[in-house]
């Protein structure tokens, strides 16, 4: 009678999943929405949104996401499509691939880092002739 229609994952992108401190997960997490982790994850994490690893949070495994803020511990390979923010109390070990990187003073960053290049499309021939 009062059933709510099922929301698509695009409607969920403004919402945040939470794993609280004291929770341990062993396995992989796949999420369409944003995610905040204050517990411990041993496994891989994949999201089309943002992950926030809080000060008490830790991840041992691989992460693939759009954006990331890390305050806790991370050990593995992280691939961030847009921006990775490493906070002052963060401890990062492993491999980092990101579009943009921000590291606050005090952070422990012991990782190889590859910055993705943003390729701007070249104008087509007729656009160059019109401009010239």
């Amino acid at each position: 009678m009062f059933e709510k229609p099922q929301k698509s994952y695009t409607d969920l992108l403004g919402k945040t999943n939470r794993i609280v401190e004291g929770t341990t997960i062993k396995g992989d997490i796949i999420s369409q929405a944003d995610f905040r982790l204050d517990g411990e994850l041993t496994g891989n994490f994949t999201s089309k949104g943002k992950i926030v690893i809080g000060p008490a949070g830790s991840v041992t495994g691989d992460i693939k996401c759009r954006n990331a803020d890390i305050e806790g511990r991370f050990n593995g390979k992280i691939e961030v499509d847009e921006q990775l923010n490493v906070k002052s109390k963060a401890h990062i070990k492993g491999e980092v691939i990101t579009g943009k990187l921000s590291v606050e003073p005090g952070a422990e960053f012991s990782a190889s880092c590859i910055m993705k290049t943003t390729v701007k499309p070249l104008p087509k021939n007729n656009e160059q002739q019109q401009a010239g």
Side-chain angles (χ1 to χ4, degrees):
M1 186 168 149
F2 293 104
E3 288 184 42
K4 292 183 178 179
Q6 195 76 11
K7 289 188 176 183
S8 70
Y9 78 91
T10 53
D11 294 333
L12 297 173
L13 290 178
K15 311 282 191 236
T16 302
N17 292 297
R18 294 193 76 148
I19 301 297
V20 296
E21 189 173 348
T23 303
T24 301
I25 296 176
K26 293 185 179 180
D28 296 344
I29 296 175
I30 299 170
S31 174
Q32 300 296 326
D34 294 345
F35 209 92
R36 179 170 178 100
L37 178 71
D38 288 303
E40 183 180 332
L41 170 64
T42 302
N44 301 323
F45 175 84
T46 305
S47 175
K48 293 188 177 178
K50 177 179 186 174
I51 185 171
V52 175
I53 301 174
S58 73
V59 174
T60 302
D62 296 346
I63 294 177
K64 185 165 176 45
C65 61
R66 178 176 288 152
N67 290 294
D69 287 353
I70 300 179
E71 283 186 86
R73 297 183 170 276
F74 173 76
N75 189 350
K77 178 180 178 181
I78 183 167
E79 187 170 346
V80 182
D81 292 335
E82 292 177 9
Q83 182 159 338
L84 169 61
N85 296 309
V86 181
K87 305 296 184 180
S88 62
K89 295 185 176 164
H91 298 275
I92 305 232
K93 292 182 181 173
E95 186 178 343
V96 173
I97 301 170
T98 186
K100 294 180 183 176
L101 177 65
S102 167
V103 181
E104 291 183 358
E108 181 184 312
F109 190 83
S110 303
S112 64
C113 184
I114 298 171
M115 302 292 289
K116 293 181 182 178
T117 56
T118 52
V119 178
K120 294 182 181 176
L122 295 171
K124 296 180 182 171
N125 287 340
N126 58 359
E127 290 174 7
Q128 287 178 332
Q129 291 171 352
Q130 291 173 356

